[in-house]
Amino acid sequence: MPNVDKSVNNENAHILLLEYEVALCGLDIAAPGPVTPEVPFEPWKPPVIEGFSPTVYSSPEGFKEKFLHKTRENHMVPISCLGTVTALTYGLYCFHQGHRPRSQLMMSTRIAAQGFTVAAILLGLVAAAMKSQS
């Protein structure tokens, strides 16, 4: 009997079996190769996503314009933020001067102002959602 490596025969049999299964399924398996995209990649353009069209602004808003725009939409948020910062600053000043009761009162006021800020943000979100529905 000739000296035959059985592992090579098993590998060949396995490959033939896979090719037979692929032929039965009707799959067309191409040889692996580099995939070239239809459109070259351009990093300065947004990706094309089916069913999505990005909004393109004619002129991007700067910080000042965006702040004024958002302030006009919900004017209570900047006012409550200013109240929070004022209570915090005055409370720290009183703490530094040694007026402990007033400092504690200002820290409690700061917490109330922060709660008012959160409530203003949430009410602004609800108002924007209701405005977009109608």
Side-chain angles (χ1 to χ4, degrees), residues 87-110:
L88 175 65
T89 304
Y90 187 62
L92 290 174
Y93 174 76
C94 290
F95 179 76
H96 181 68
Q97 294 296 321
H99 303 294
R100 178 173 278 172
R102 181 160 304 206
S103 174
Q104 290 177 354
L105 175 68
M106 294 309 334
M107 290 301 119
S108 297
T109 305
R110 175 190 59 88

Coordinates of all heavy atoms in Angstrom, one line a residue, residues 87-110:
A87 N -26.7 83.7 43.3 CA -26.8 83.1 44.7 C -25.5 82.4 45.1 O -25.1 82.5 46.2 CB -28.0 82.1 44.7
L88 N -24.9 81.7 44.1 CA -23.7 81.0 44.5 C -22.6 82.0 44.8 O -21.9 81.9 45.8 CB -23.2 80.2 43.3 CG -21.9 79.5 43.4 CD1 -21.9 78.5 44.5 CD2 -21.5 78.8 42.1
T89 N -22.4 83.1 44.0 CA -21.4 84.1 44.2 C -21.6 84.8 45.6 O -20.6 84.9 46.3 CB -21.3 85.1 43.1 OG1 -21.2 84.4 41.8 CG2 -20.2 86.0 43.2
Y90 N -22.8 85.2 45.8 CA -23.0 85.9 47.1 C -22.9 85.0 48.3 O -22.4 85.4 49.3 CB -24.4 86.6 47.0 CG -24.7 87.5 48.2 CD1 -23.9 88.6 48.4 CD2 -25.7 87.2 49.1 CE1 -24.1 89.4 49.5 CE2 -25.9 88.0 50.2 CZ -25.1 89.1 50.4 OH -25.4 89.9 51.5
G91 N -23.3 83.7 48.1 CA -23.1 82.8 49.2 C -21.7 82.5 49.5 O -21.3 82.4 50.7
L92 N -20.8 82.4 48.5 CA -19.4 82.2 48.7 C -18.8 83.5 49.3 O -17.9 83.4 50.2 CB -18.7 81.9 47.4 CG -19.0 80.5 46.8 CD1 -18.4 80.3 45.5 CD2 -18.5 79.4 47.8
Y93 N -19.3 84.7 48.9 CA -18.8 85.9 49.5 C -19.1 86.0 51.0 O -18.3 86.3 51.8 CB -19.4 87.1 48.8 CG -19.0 88.4 49.4 CD1 -17.7 89.0 49.2 CD2 -20.0 89.1 50.1 CE1 -17.4 90.2 49.8 CE2 -19.7 90.3 50.7 CZ -18.4 90.9 50.6 OH -18.1 92.1 51.2
C94 N -20.4 85.6 51.3 CA -20.8 85.6 52.8 C -20.0 84.6 53.6 O -19.6 84.8 54.7 CB -22.3 85.4 52.9 SG -23.3 86.7 52.3
F95 N -19.7 83.4 53.0 CA -18.9 82.4 53.6 C -17.5 82.9 53.9 O -17.0 82.7 55.0 CB -18.9 81.2 52.8 CG -18.1 80.0 53.4 CD1 -18.6 79.3 54.4 CD2 -16.8 79.7 52.9 CE1 -17.8 78.3 55.0 CE2 -16.1 78.7 53.4 CZ -16.6 78.0 54.5
H96 N -16.9 83.6 52.9 CA -15.6 84.2 53.1 C -15.6 85.3 54.2 O -14.6 85.4 54.9 CB -15.1 84.8 51.7 CG -13.7 85.3 51.8 ND1 -12.6 84.5 52.0 CD2 -13.3 86.6 51.7 CE1 -11.5 85.3 52.0 NE2 -11.9 86.6 51.8
Q97 N -16.6 86.0 54.3 CA -16.7 87.1 55.3 C -17.1 86.6 56.7 O -16.9 87.3 57.7 CB -17.8 88.2 54.9 CG -17.4 88.9 53.6 CD -16.2 89.8 53.8 OE1 -15.9 90.4 54.8 NE2 -15.3 89.8 52.8
G98 N -17.5 85.3 56.7 CA -17.8 84.7 58.0 C -19.3 84.8 58.4 O -19.6 84.5 59.6
H99 N -20.1 85.2 57.5 CA -21.6 85.3 57.8 C -22.2 83.9 57.5 O -22.8 83.7 56.5 CB -22.2 86.4 57.0 CG -21.7 87.7 57.2 ND1 -21.7 88.4 58.4 CD2 -21.0 88.6 56.4 CE1 -21.1 89.6 58.3 NE2 -20.6 89.7 57.1
R100 N -22.1 83.0 58.5 CA -22.5 81.6 58.2 C -24.0 81.5 57.9 O -24.4 80.8 57.0 CB -22.1 80.7 59.4 CG -22.5 79.3 59.2 CD -22.0 78.4 60.3 NE -20.7 78.0 59.8 CZ -19.8 77.3 60.6 NH1 -20.2 77.0 61.8 NH2 -18.7 77.0 60.2
P101 N -24.9 82.1 58.7 CA -26.3 81.9 58.4 C -26.7 82.4 57.1 O -27.5 81.8 56.3 CB -27.0 82.7 59.5 CG -26.0 82.9 60.6 CD -24.7 82.9 60.0
R102 N -26.2 83.6 56.7 CA -26.5 84.1 55.4 C -25.9 83.3 54.2 O -26.5 83.1 53.2 CB -26.0 85.6 55.2 CG -26.4 86.1 53.9 CD -26.4 87.6 53.8 NE -27.2 88.1 54.9 CZ -27.8 89.3 54.8 NH1 -27.6 90.0 53.8 NH2 -28.5 89.7 55.8
S103 N -24.7 82.7 54.5 CA -24.1 81.8 53.5 C -24.9 80.6 53.3 O -25.2 80.2 52.1 CB -22.7 81.5 53.9 OG -22.1 80.5 53.1
Q104 N -25.4 80.0 54.4 CA -26.3 78.8 54.3 C -27.6 79.1 53.6 O -28.1 78.3 52.8 CB -26.5 78.2 55.6 CG -25.3 77.6 56.2 CD -25.5 77.0 57.6 OE1 -26.6 77.2 58.2 NE2 -24.5 76.4 58.1
L105 N -28.2 80.3 53.9 CA -29.4 80.7 53.2 C -29.2 80.9 51.7 O -30.0 80.5 50.9 CB -29.9 82.1 53.8 CG -31.1 82.7 53.1 CD1 -32.3 81.8 53.3 CD2 -31.3 84.1 53.5
M106 N -28.0 81.4 51.3 CA -27.7 81.6 49.9 C -27.5 80.3 49.2 O -27.8 80.1 48.0 CB -26.5 82.6 49.7 CG -26.7 84.0 50.1 SD -28.1 85.0 49.6 CE -28.7 84.4 48.1
M107 N -26.9 79.3 49.9 CA -26.7 78.0 49.3 C -28.0 77.3 49.1 O -28.3 76.6 48.1 CB -25.8 77.1 50.1 CG -24.3 77.6 50.1 SD -23.6 77.6 48.5 CE -23.2 79.3 48.3
S108 N -29.0 77.5 50.0 CA -30.3 77.0 49.8 C -31.0 77.7 48.7 O -31.7 77.1 47.9 CB -31.2 77.1 51.1 OG -30.6 76.4 52.1
T109 N -30.8 79.0 48.5 CA -31.4 79.8 47.4 C -30.8 79.3 46.1 O -31.5 79.2 45.1 CB -31.1 81.3 47.6 OG1 -31.6 81.7 48.9 CG2 -31.7 82.1 46.5
R110 N -29.5 79.0 46.1 CA -28.9 78.5 44.9 C -29.5 77.1 44.4 O -29.7 76.9 43.2 CB -27.4 78.2 45.1 CG -26.6 77.6 44.0 CD -25.2 77.2 44.3 NE -25.2 76.2 45.4 CZ -25.2 74.9 45.3 NH1 -25.4 74.4 44.1 NH2 -25.2 74.1 46.4

